Structure formats: structure tokens, C-alpha cells
């Protein structure tokens, strides 16, 4: 495969999405665990929301990476 092959770009993008998605999921888990040990209040709600948003975005990126790999692995 050459660098001009569109499939090589899709594979590269899928790998990048997987790495970034995994990073965001790990970061979200850290934020959510820290939220549990925080004093009740507005900060807990904001941090919980931020953790859930990071988790959804990271999971979506990893899921999209998986879809791209399946679609273009043929």
C-alpha cells in the first residue's frame, strides 16, 4: 500500500480514534472516581457531568474506530 491509498488513511484515522477514545475513557474514569470522594455540592454535579461527557465522547470515538475498521478491512 502506498501513502496515496485511501484505505491506508482510513486505517490510520481508525487507529488515532481508538487511541484518543481510550485516553478520554481513562480520563473520564479518573474524574468520575474523584467525583465520588468530593464533598456534596455544585462541584460534584459539574464534575460528574464532565466525567459522563468525556466517557460518552471517548466511547463514541472508540466505537467509530471499530466501525471504520470493520467497514474498510475488506
Amino acid at each position: 500500500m502506498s501513502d496515496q491509498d485511501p484505505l491506508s488513511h482510513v486505517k490510520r484515522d481508525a487507529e488515532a480514534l481508538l487511541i484518543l477514545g481510550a485516553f478520554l475513557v481513562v480520563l473520564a474514569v479518573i474524574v468520575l472516581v474523584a467525583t465520588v470522594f468530593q464533598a456534596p455540592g455544585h462541584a460534584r454535579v459539574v464534575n460528574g457531568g464532565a466525567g459522563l461527557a468525556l466517557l460518552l465522547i471517548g466511547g463514541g470515538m472508540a466505537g467509530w474506530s471499530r466501525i471504520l475498521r470493520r467497514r474498510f478491512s475488506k
Side-chain angles (χ1 to χ4, degrees):
M1 283 191 181
S2 68
D3 287 337
Q4 300 301 323
D5 184 20
L7 289 181
S8 68
H9 293 291
V10 172
K11 289 178 183 180
R12 182 195 63 207
D13 293 345
E15 291 172 4
L17 280 172
L18 182 62
I19 292 168
L20 288 171
F23 170 74
L24 288 177
V25 167
V26 169
L27 185 63
V29 169
I30 292 170
V31 169
L32 290 172
V33 168
T35 301
V36 172
F37 295 109
Q38 193 171 19
H42 296 292
R44 182 183 250 183
V45 174
V46 170
N47 289 342
L52 287 175
L54 285 171
L55 188 66
L56 289 173
I57 292 168
M61 290 174 78
W64 187 249
S65 167
R66 214 176 151 106
I67 289 170
L68 285 177
R69 281 186 175 194
R70 279 192 204 154
R71 188 179 294 169
F72 292 103
S73 67
K74 297 173 184 175

